[in-house]
Amino acid sequence: MKDEYRVMQLVAPGMPLAEATRPMPQPAAGQVLVRVEACGVCRTDLHVADGELPQARYPIVPGHEVVGTVEDVGAGVTSPAVGERIGVPWLGRTCGRCDFCLGDRENLCDAPEFIGCTLDGGFATHMLADAAYCLRLGDISAEPASLAPLLCAGLIGWRAFRAAGPCRDLGLYGFGAAAHILCQMAVARGVSVYAFTRPGDGATQAFARSLGACWAGGSDDAPPHPLDATIIFAPVGALVPIALGRVRKGGRVVCAGIHMSDIPGFEYRRLWGERELVSVANLTREDGRTFFLAAGDDVRTRVRTYPLRDANLALEALREGSLSGAAVIVPD
């Protein structure tokens, strides 16, 4: 095993990631040492880089959509085993004692730890992770880069989809990594998907249609009829009253991001009619287990890969909205 490993770390908010070399860590009891094969780039990484998440700790190694191979295990770890490919998602650790943890809602834990936010993540060649929070992956023969976006974009999309409830017509605001995965799963289940992009973004609208969306337009466009539910992936609070105005009576709007700009005031009539506005927060290990069973052959991720040293370029591409699908860091 090597004596050192490389990371792209964020020393402080607002600064570019800086490459660094560190001594190879030894897994403590309950931990595994993971050799990173691929790590997806998530909008949450941008929020960490911009200092928008108060729980973030600096310096930090971002990245929480990790696919890797276990190279070493700490005391007491019986699973996963050395040599096994695993996924390391956003939820890195919970207290296990609060009312939420004891009530099967560990995503709302009062003292959580998050990969790439409070615990060093996967913009690295190696990382440590708590064995109990690693996920078994469905198709281990798939390319690691194609699996990586499933570890957050896929998981949070799945949780948001279930939060939306039964629906025939589903709107997706912000057609990035999460939406391009969820669109495929929803269509495979007979749901009509309506994709809302940045106004004038014809390329992304065409991409949405290629994945089965029955309609695609700008966020300033109205769908052909009121929808049963919408999910907002874009971190834009101004979309909330717009989305409420485009669901039918009894419809639901789900805010799926960890951070969103302020929601402007709106007329009560947009909420009236038993419309609902809800949010989803983080994820649970059960989300991971059910998602990888549910995804099956329905999902094909589209990715653009970047070597580890170009992690800043990947973040900038995400910020600019120039990606169709997801960016993935592949250690070089």
Side-chain angles (χ1 to χ4, degrees):
M1 188 180 298
K2 296 180 179 179
D3 295 329
E4 297 179 325
Y5 73 111
R6 292 184 299 115
V7 303
M8 291 294 287
Q9 66 180 359
L10 181 67
V11 176
M15 297 181 63
L17 301 179
E19 188 169 6
T21 302
R22 299 179 176 180
M24 188 67 71
Q26 297 297 312
Q31 290 186 320
V32 294
L33 175 65
V34 181
R35 177 176 59 81
V36 177
E37 297 178 84
C39 183
V41 182
C42 177
R43 184 161 293 278
T44 302
D45 297 317
L46 281 180
H47 297 320
V48 172
D50 294 342
E52 294 172 329
L53 302 185
Q55 64 268 49
R57 299 172 189 161
Y58 305 91
I60 192 72
V61 178
H64 55 274
E65 298 180 331
V66 185
V67 175
T69 301
V70 177
E71 284 203 342
D72 196 8
V73 301
V77 175
T78 58
S79 178
V82 171
E84 185 174 350
R85 178 180 283 173
I86 58 170
V88 184
W90 170 249
L91 188 67
R93 187 181 300 154
T94 60
C95 73
R97 300 182 302 274
C98 68
D99 289 344
F100 295 112
C101 287
L102 296 176
D104 296 325
R105 302 180 75 188
E106 65 183 7
N107 60 306
L108 301 179
C109 174
D110 286 332
E113 299 278 4
F114 299 118
I115 301 294
C117 181
T118 65
L119 301 171
D120 282 337
F123 286 13
T125 59
H126 293 75
M127 65 174 292
L128 293 172
D130 282 29
Y133 291 83
C134 296
L135 298 178
R136 294 180 178 276
L137 301 178
D139 183 3
I140 61 172
S141 66
E143 285 295 319
S146 68
L147 291 172
L150 303 179
L151 270 299
C152 183
L155 287 173
I156 204 67
W158 175 240
R159 188 172 182 86
F161 183 54
R162 293 194 294 174
C167 58
R168 293 171 298 179
D169 299 302
L170 174 68
L172 302 179
Y173 283 84
F175 205 86
H180 103 282
I181 294 169
L182 180 55
C183 179
Q184 297 173 67
M185 295 186 70
V187 169
R189 286 158 176 75
V191 176
S192 297
V193 172
Y194 298 74
F196 296 87
T197 72
R198 295 181 181 184
D201 189 353
T204 301
Q205 292 165 20
F207 178 49
R209 293 189 193 96
S210 76
L211 296 179
C214 66
W215 178 93
S219 59
D220 55 347
D221 293 328
H225 53 76
L227 308 177
D228 297 316
T230 63
I231 299 172
I232 302 177
F233 292 112
V236 182
L239 291 175
V240 170
I242 294 173
L244 280 170
R246 291 174 181 165
V247 295
R248 62 172 176 78
K249 289 184 289 185
R252 184 175 296 175
V253 173
V254 181
C255 298
I258 192 172
H259 173 81
M260 179 179 276
S261 60
D262 289 346
I263 299 171
F266 55 89
E267 309 91 334
Y268 176 61
R269 63 178 175 80
R270 289 181 179 261
L271 187 62
W272 189 78
E274 298 193 353
R275 295 173 178 86
E276 297 180 353
L277 175 62
V278 301
S279 71
V280 296
N282 309 314
L283 52 94
T284 68
R285 285 171 284 180
E286 183 62 19
D287 290 330
R289 286 187 283 267
T290 59
F291 169 72
F292 281 102
L293 288 173
D297 296 326
D298 295 337
V299 175
R300 293 290 181 270
T301 56
R302 179 179 293 189
V303 302
R304 184 190 302 175
T305 60
Y306 294 81
L308 179 60
R309 63 181 179 274
D310 288 342
N312 285 304
L313 297 179
L315 286 172
E316 192 57 32
L318 179 59
R319 188 186 302 278
E320 293 174 351
S322 61
L323 296 166
S324 290
V328 177
I329 304 297
V330 179
D332 45 331

